[in-house]
Amino acid sequence: KLTVRASKALLDGSLEEDELGSGKSSAGSSTFTTSLASFRRQRGIEKRVVIAAAGKDRIQQVLAEAIDLQPELADNDLVVVPVVMPQGVAPVLGDDMSQPANVALPVTVGDSWKTLIDDEASDAISQGVSIEEEGFCIILKKNGRVGQRTRGIFLNNLVGNVVARKEAGMDVKNI
């Protein structure tokens, strides 16, 4: 069972304007732990999950990008799950950074995250991906299926893809 910790505001869909602007949960808001499956359609929290796996330095860049893109990520039902490679664990947030509102951190329960990420990392390495430098993404659709895997982590492109589908009048409920 894959478990994450996220802001209650994100999961309740009640992000305040100041939280959207800062990308951080307000000091008074709390986090809670839930299964990754709860993000699936008709399970209470409908979000597209972006599992972003890379080395520590690249994951810090991804977190900064997630903060900058908070309004767009929220508008397009995207939540980022950063995983530090090769350990397959959540990033350590420094004293100067609270958990961004649009980020769900993996919670280590046994070897669940490590097993998933190691399998995906093996495939990525065999395809020539530098997992620590450029990383990779696994995008889960709202129905829980893998929508795509990408070499590198490009949150802006993911947002753009959803926006382009909306603007073209295409279905965005199942992606």
Side-chain angles (χ1 to χ4, degrees):
K1 178 177 177 181
L2 299 175
T3 307
V4 295
R5 180 175 299 113
S7 162
K8 277 192 175 183
L10 169 70
L11 300 177
D12 294 339
S14 59
L15 289 174
E16 300 293 331
E17 279 301 314
D18 62 328
E19 294 174 62
L20 284 172
S22 70
K24 297 179 183 177
S25 300
S26 61
S29 73
S30 59
T31 62
F32 76 101
T33 303
T34 187
S35 74
L36 195 62
S38 65
F39 288 98
R40 292 175 61 179
R41 191 175 54 245
Q42 299 176 346
R43 299 235 179 142
I45 310 163
E46 295 188 12
K47 301 285 182 191
R48 293 173 191 86
V49 177
V50 179
I51 300 172
K56 183 175 77 171
D57 293 340
R58 180 67 181 109
I59 289 298
Q60 290 303 316
Q61 293 170 352
V62 169
L63 289 170
E65 187 178 0
I67 290 169
D68 290 345
L69 290 172
Q70 172 53 46
E72 293 85 358
L73 291 167
D75 287 347
N76 293 289
D77 293 335
L78 290 161
V79 62
V80 179
V81 179
V83 181
V84 176
M85 297 302 293
Q87 298 87 355
V89 297
V92 175
L93 302 178
D95 293 337
D96 61 334
M97 177 187 258
S98 62
Q99 182 171 339
N102 58 310
V103 170
L105 297 174
V107 175
T108 305
V109 178
D111 288 337
S112 57
W113 277 102
K114 180 91 170 117
T115 301
L116 169 78
I117 293 300
D118 281 351
D119 290 346
E120 292 290 338
S122 293
D123 290 345
I125 291 168
S126 72
Q127 296 169 12
V129 177
S130 169
I131 61 168
E132 290 191 49
E133 296 297 320
E134 61 187 326
F136 62 92
C137 274
I138 306 162
I139 296 92
L140 303 178
K141 301 188 297 184
K142 288 183 179 181
N143 64 10
R145 297 183 190 273
V146 174
Q148 71 182 100
R149 291 174 173 85
T150 66
R151 177 183 192 143
I153 304 165
F154 306 101
L155 298 181
N156 201 32
N157 290 354
L158 295 172
V159 168
N161 290 343
V162 177
V163 170
R165 287 181 68 98
K166 283 181 184 176
E167 290 174 352
M170 298 173 74
D171 174 38
V172 293
K173 290 182 182 178
N174 295 313
I175 64 167

